[in-house]
Every structure is written in structure tokens, then in C-alpha cells.
Amino acid sequence: MALDRAVKDKINLKQDPEQDKAAREWIEAVTGEKFSTDDYAEALHDGVLLCKLMNKLKPGSIPKIHTSGGPMKLRENIGLFQSAARAYGVSESEVFQAVDLFDKQNIQQVTLCIFALNRLAQKQNFSGPKLNYQTKLPTYD
């Protein structure tokens, strides 16, 4: 059990709240929908918002989004998003695993996938909002 806790702590250390905030603002701006909760991971947990984001970037890329049903039905949304993201051009190394989001095991990887989607959207001349995030460089005194 201590090892599980150590792994989770290490993953959480990598998570950057500023990146999550920028990703959230971009998803809300592109989809026109506000997150249902302030909990970033929980709001994305069922994949519905990610599917809607994908359909804004590439209309029709996910024809049926599951908005109700048991956990397995909702988890299907994540798989649909992953397939659509790959088809859009997101590299395999940037696409998160379903457990990263559904079980909230590696939310940082989910955020990195969203950043990758934004990069590709700009390359493909997406005319909608751009993800606004400035990398903060360390300062030396």
C-alpha cells in the first residue's frame, strides 16, 4: 500500500494546476460549456466534455456521445475520444490511457493530450480559441 501511495504522490507532483486551468479555460471556450464542477479531473472523468471538444475541432468525429448509463457506457466516451484524437494527429505517446482519466491515475497526461490537441488545431488552422498558457521559466537570484 505504501508503494501505491508513493506512486500517486509522484504523479500528483507532476500535475501543474496552471496547466490544468489553461486546459480548462480552452475547453470551455471551444465547447461553449462550463465545467460542471471546480474539480478538473471530475469534470472530465466521463469523457463527455472531451468528446464535445473533439467534435468542435473536427465536426462529426464522434457521432454518439454517451451522456447516461453505467460506468462502462461512460468509459466508452474516453475510448471514442482517444480514437478521434489519434485520427486528428495526436501521437500515441501524447494520448492518455483510459485509467489515467477514468480512475484519475494520471491527470497530467490528460492535460498534456489536451495541449497536444491545441497545437494540432493551430497547425490545422482552427479558427476558434487558442489555449493560453505561458511556460514559467525558473528565476535565479
Side-chain angles (χ1 to χ4, degrees):
M1 284 261 201
L3 182 60
D4 287 343
R5 176 79 180 161
V7 170
K8 285 181 181 178
D9 287 346
K10 187 174 181 180
I11 288 170
N12 287 334
L13 282 177
K14 292 191 299 184
Q15 194 168 347
D16 179 345
E18 291 299 312
Q19 284 184 341
D20 294 351
K21 181 177 183 268
R24 174 188 180 144
E25 289 171 353
W26 184 62
I27 292 168
E28 289 178 340
V30 172
T31 63
E33 292 187 33
K34 294 288 183 195
F35 276 33
S36 60
T37 175
D38 286 336
D39 183 333
Y40 175 76
E42 185 60 32
L44 297 176
H45 168 77
D46 61 11
V48 171
L49 273 173
L50 292 175
C51 289
K52 289 179 178 183
L53 172 65
M54 202 65 241
N55 278 339
K56 291 288 185 175
L57 298 175
K58 186 174 181 198
S61 57
I62 302 174
K64 177 149 178 51
I65 301 170
H66 304 290
T67 56
S68 62
M72 294 310 291
K73 258 307 183 213
L74 296 176
R75 192 175 178 143
E76 281 180 35
N77 289 332
I78 297 171
L80 295 169
F81 169 81
Q82 291 168 316
S83 295
R86 286 184 196 99
Y88 195 70
V90 177
S91 71
E92 195 64 42
S93 65
E94 292 178 305
V95 175
F96 59 89
Q97 299 296 310
V99 295
D100 293 340
L101 177 56
F102 199 78
D103 296 338
K104 302 175 190 168
Q105 289 188 7
N106 189 351
I107 297 302
Q108 178 62 20
Q109 188 62 40
V110 176
T111 301
L112 293 176
C113 182
I114 294 165
F115 272 65
L117 263 181
N118 171 69
R119 266 194 328 274
L120 285 163
Q122 302 321 308
K123 284 183 183 176
Q124 296 180 25
N125 299 314
F126 175 65
S127 61
K130 294 175 176 55
L131 195 151
N132 188 14
Y133 177 77
Q134 298 295 322
T135 303
K136 294 177 183 82
L137 298 174
T139 57
Y140 302 99
D141 294 330

